[in-house]
Amino acid sequence: MQPDRPGLHPGKENDLTAELRLKGAPASRGYAIGPAFLFKRDIISIDDRKIEPSETEEQKDKFKKSIEQSNKELIKISTITNQKLGEEFSAIFDAQVMMLFDPEVTRLIHREIDQNLLTAEAATEKAYNLQIDLLRAAATDPYLAQRMADLEDVKFRILRNLQRGKLLSHVEDSSVIVSDNLTPADMILFSRQNIVGIALDFGGLTSHVALIARSLNIPLVIGLHKISASVKNGDEIILDGIDGNVIARPTQPVLEKYLKKKEKFRKFIAIFETGISEPAVTLDGKKINVLANIEFRDEINDMQTCGAEGIGLYRTEHLFLSRGYFPSEDHQFKYYSSLFSQAKDWPVTIRAFDVGGDKVLESSFHEMNPFLGWRGIRIMLDRPDIFKNQIRAILRASVGRQVKLMFPMVHNLTQVHQIKDLMEEVYLELDRKEIPYQKVPVGVMIEVPSAVIMSEEIAREVEFFSLGTNDLTQYTLAVDRGNDIISSLYRELEPAVLRLINRTVLSGHQAGIPVSLCGELGSNILATPLLIGMGMDDISVVIRRVPEVKYLVKNLRMEDCIRLKDEILALGTVGEVEARLKSWLTEHLPQFAGYI
Ligand code: PEP
Ligand code: MG
């Protein structure tokens, strides 16, 4: 079967009156229906005349004023972002402010004005393009691509201010924003208007824009390729952020169908939220902790309303990614202290930096196969300074808190021994300096097949396991989790993956340690009964999926799930597994029929 590639256009192209259907990638869940608000950046035409030598001071002054105005705007956006989403996101704009004042770029611009007699606009464009071109060479690296996008954004802002343009006009209520792409700053400004969804030609699933949309619960579909050229302002848009479909100018029957889907989705969400604060216990009394995966501290504000029973995975990479360098021990200590206090009595499993793979460490460092490269624990063990800084900060902040610590990407027992040795060194150093800290349970993520094979031995050395099924799937099937072309082969329900998961649970329980799962498989409710049947102790999912997983746990019987598990583990193909899980769920919980 051919993968369903984004950007296909079965509708009539360029006919701006007919119904148009586009397929993209769903980047933030939910349905939106509303008029299109077409957002196009002003095409800035640059004043490229040669100036008179007598004008140079005036041009430099113009540039200075535009920097001041841009700085004001960015500080405002950063403040709004900080209030809405917290420091991790506002750091994006703080980084842009730093770019604004880069002395090297300013020198270059002054030189172009003084020596080459360029206008401030032309000099700005030239100097920024130079920086952007330097990064373009490495643009396959998502971190650098993001920096390049930030530089473009800064350049555009300065140029717009040189020309005194205004960015956003009034957006009609309940609009669906349609654009080629958005910057994080556009996204924040739009989120202050009453918009219901966003459809983009480009964009990445892990871009800042996608992360912000998910955090703000605004449905988003990306990778639609031509949507901005194919709709007019005010066209009715249906945006399906579940399957990635966008329909412009729908016919009445299609509109009615989606209005029903949207209503059904809303009703299901309401059903899942009934009794949300009750603990997740199966009908026959087995407690399973349904926890939240948290990437940004402010998502903790939603823990109560989503009924999360703790944090099963706190990713710390953002501390690095939003800056481009590892923050100091003290900065991290303050950060973790406030994180743990914000998490109140909820247990928190915090993960050491999982940098590398698609989250690159050094701008000059490139690998042919980054997912098989210098990543996660491999970096931490090679760089004990980074390891110890983070661990000291976490242990110091853990005093009086319920914290567990886990390490990503462990692939053998030797690494477990190395981790334990380094932990001992950290304890000794803290003892010697009489710095207060708390020892916390230490576990490892099981996300590399060799770690599953060695899981009996590893289980005897650690205090818990957490299954990272996103990576376990990609490494077991040898299917790159970020590669569009083979995305149809990336199937978490492949029997090989399920057998490895089951084996991990058995090894953990044999050694008497709890086993959690924190990969995306946990959010696939088809898999919930299977995971319960395997005996998973915790299931940790993105925060907005907690209610449905919890609802499922509370409405199932452990003994039925065990029978299902035995049946599924005997199957040979992913197709059979999916079909059986679907039929089983519909038999046991018919009310789910319209949701799965
Ligand atoms: C995983 O691999 O399943 C996981 C939870 O970690 P990440 O997605 O951050 O690699
Ligand atoms: Mg992983």
Side-chain angles (χ1 to χ4, degrees):
M1 191 184 72
Q2 278 297 305
D4 202 3
R5 290 178 210 285
L8 294 180
H9 299 264
K12 282 187 216 155
E13 276 180 48
N14 300 330
D15 175 353
L16 294 186
T17 55
E19 180 179 288
L20 171 79
R21 290 169 176 249
L22 299 174
K23 179 91 184 156
S28 177
R29 278 167 64 83
Y31 292 96
I33 300 176
F37 177 86
L38 205 54
F39 175 63
K40 284 199 174 132
R41 282 159 179 277
D42 308 338
I43 309 287
I44 293 197
S45 64
I46 303 292
D47 179 1
D48 57 2
R49 72 195 158 90
K50 271 258 185 278
I51 58 168
E52 296 299 326
S54 58
E55 285 179 78
T56 54
E57 286 313 309
E58 188 193 319
Q59 291 296 323
K60 282 192 282 186
D61 193 50
K62 223 177 134 191
F63 171 70
K64 183 166 165 258
K65 290 211 172 84
S66 137
I67 294 286
E68 282 161 7
Q69 178 58 26
S70 304
N71 183 36
K72 254 194 234 154
E73 290 171 4
L74 281 169
I75 288 177
K76 185 170 164 207
I77 294 170
S78 170
T79 312
I80 300 168
T81 313
N82 204 337
Q83 286 157 0
K84 270 186 180 252
L85 295 163
E87 196 189 316
E88 295 87 342
F89 281 108
S90 60
I92 300 166
F93 303 108
D94 300 341
Q96 290 196 4
V97 169
M98 279 170 69
M99 291 175 183
L100 209 55
F101 289 106
D102 183 334
E104 193 51 45
V105 181
T106 307
R107 241 192 321 274
L108 211 62
I109 290 171
H110 282 184
R111 205 178 61 204
E112 292 296 340
I113 296 174
D114 285 331
Q115 294 176 11
N116 293 336
L117 298 175
L118 296 190
T119 60
E121 290 171 24
T124 301
E125 183 170 70
K126 189 171 172 190
Y128 271 91
N129 284 352
L130 205 74
Q131 307 290 314
I132 291 164
D133 285 346
L134 285 177
L135 289 179
R136 201 183 308 280
T140 50
D141 163 345
Y143 170 67
L144 294 183
Q146 184 60 50
R147 277 187 67 81
M148 198 169 88
D150 282 339
L151 269 175
E152 284 275 12
D153 196 18
V154 170
K155 176 184 88 173
F156 183 77
R157 187 174 296 283
I158 302 171
L159 288 176
R160 188 170 40 74
N161 282 323
L162 279 167
Q163 302 183 337
R164 301 217 166 78
K166 266 216 159 287
L167 190 59
L168 278 189
S169 48
H170 175 71
V171 181
E172 204 184 307
D173 258 8
S174 307
S175 293
V176 174
I177 305 297
V178 174
S179 184
D180 55 349
N181 210 349
L182 293 183
T183 66
D186 300 332
M187 182 75 205
I188 293 292
L189 293 178
F190 276 127
S191 74
R192 301 187 84 200
Q193 317 250 358
N194 201 8
I195 64 160
V196 293
I198 301 172
L200 300 179
D201 291 340
F202 305 110
L205 283 176
T206 54
S207 65
H208 288 319
V209 170
L211 296 175
I212 294 172
R214 285 200 282 275
S215 292
L216 295 174
N217 218 9
I218 301 173
L220 163 69
V221 178
I222 59 170
L224 291 157
H225 296 220
K226 283 192 184 168
I227 184 136
S228 68
S230 317
V231 303
K232 310 180 294 303
N233 256 325
D235 277 354
E236 183 88 19
I237 302 282
I238 295 173
L239 184 134
D240 166 356
I242 306 292
D243 292 325
N245 296 315
V246 172
I247 304 166
R249 303 174 293 268
T251 57
Q252 196 56 28
V254 172
L255 183 63
E256 276 163 21
K257 180 177 125 191
Y258 271 93
L259 281 168
K260 278 193 196 130
K261 274 194 174 204
K262 185 171 171 241
E263 181 54 19
K264 206 170 198 177
F265 186 73
R266 199 190 56 75
K267 275 198 186 134
F268 271 114
I269 300 292
I271 294 173
F272 298 149
E273 285 173 358
T274 49
I276 196 78
S277 51
E278 294 158 12
V281 181
T282 62
L283 292 173
D284 47 357
K286 165 85 165 102
K287 173 82 186 88
I288 291 159
N289 302 307
V290 181
L291 309 172
N293 290 348
I294 302 268
E295 199 143 348
F296 305 105
R297 199 170 61 203
D298 290 66
E299 289 177 287
I300 296 175
N301 298 336
D302 297 332
M303 299 255 311
Q304 189 109 38
T305 44
C306 290
E309 301 176 291
I311 298 176
L313 165 64
Y314 191 88
R315 292 183 167 98
T316 56
E317 295 79 68
H318 242 275
L319 283 172
F320 163 80
L321 291 173
S322 56
R323 288 174 178 75
Y325 60 88
F326 290 102
S328 67
E329 178 184 335
D330 255 10
H331 183 100
Q332 290 189 58
F333 168 66
K334 286 194 194 110
Y335 179 87
Y336 302 136
S337 302
S338 98
L339 162 71
F340 298 152
S341 93
Q342 200 177 340
K344 299 181 206 133
D345 295 330
W346 284 302
V348 180
T349 300
I350 190 163
R351 179 174 79 180
F353 293 128
D354 185 10
V355 176
D358 59 348
K359 311 151 191 159
V360 131
L361 183 65
E362 282 174 32
S363 48
S364 58
F365 186 74
H366 296 292
E367 296 178 281
M368 291 294 282
N369 291 306
F371 275 120
L372 302 182
W374 204 41
R375 179 182 172 194
I377 195 63
R378 301 169 182 187
I379 295 179
M380 301 288 271
L381 293 176
D382 284 349
R383 291 284 307 271
D385 52 329
I386 296 174
F387 181 107
K388 286 185 178 178
N389 264 353
Q390 185 177 31
I391 302 312
R392 272 196 300 265
I394 291 174
L395 298 183
R396 287 169 56 201
S398 296
V399 177
R401 307 281 180 196
Q402 279 191 77
V403 175
K404 289 181 179 182
L405 167 63
M406 67 182 176
F407 292 92
M409 280 295 293
V410 166
H411 79 253
N412 64 19
L413 193 58
T414 311
Q415 290 173 329
V416 177
H417 293 150
Q418 288 169 327
I419 291 170
K420 290 177 83 175
D421 289 347
L422 276 170
M423 295 293 301
E424 284 304 323
E425 286 179 30
V426 171
Y427 301 145
L428 274 176
E429 286 162 16
L430 288 168
D431 285 339
R432 208 176 299 129
K433 292 188 184 148
E434 298 183 4
I435 296 173
Y437 70 97
Q438 182 164 299
K439 284 191 181 172
V440 300
V442 175
V444 289
M445 289 195 66
I446 300 292
E447 49 185 350
V448 182
S450 59
V452 179
I453 294 167
M454 296 303 291
S455 56
E456 282 183 28
E457 287 79 358
I458 295 177
R460 290 197 285 268
E461 302 279 338
V462 298
E463 287 155 283
F464 66 95
F465 277 164
S466 184
L467 275 149
T469 50
N470 306 340
D471 278 315
L472 189 59
T473 304
Q474 83 162 338
Y475 294 129
T476 304
L477 306 178
V479 174
D480 181 344
R481 64 193 261 193
N483 184 338
D484 242 16
I485 303 169
I486 46 168
S487 60
S488 60
L489 300 179
Y490 184 91
R491 310 272 281 271
E492 293 164 316
L493 291 171
E494 278 281 357
V497 180
L498 299 180
R499 291 180 194 187
L500 292 183
I501 295 173
N502 190 53
R503 181 162 171 185
T504 306
V505 179
L506 293 176
S507 302
H509 287 173
Q510 198 178 29
I513 62 168
V515 181
S516 305
L517 182 142
C518 64
E520 292 294 312
L521 178 64
S523 300
N524 180 350
I525 53 169
L526 281 185
T528 312
L530 179 63
L531 300 177
I532 297 173
M534 288 178 182
M536 207 63 72
D537 298 287
D538 313 317
I539 302 177
S540 191
V541 298
V542 288
I543 189 143
R544 306 229 174 256
R545 309 301 290 272
V546 168
E548 56 203 85
V549 175
K550 208 169 170 189
Y551 176 88
L552 221 62
V553 171
K554 291 196 299 185
N555 284 281
L556 291 171
R557 304 181 70 81
M558 183 73 188
E559 56 178 299
D560 296 337
C561 295
I562 292 176
R563 268 200 299 274
L564 172 70
K565 180 256 310 179
D566 290 337
E567 197 187 320
I568 293 290
L569 288 177
L571 296 177
T573 69
V574 61
E576 288 167 313
V577 170
E578 282 173 358
R580 181 58 188 130
L581 289 179
K582 217 173 231 180
S583 68
W584 192 93
L585 201 56
T586 338
E587 275 160 34
H588 285 77
L589 290 175
Q591 66 268 44
F592 265 87
Y595 189 69
I596 49 177

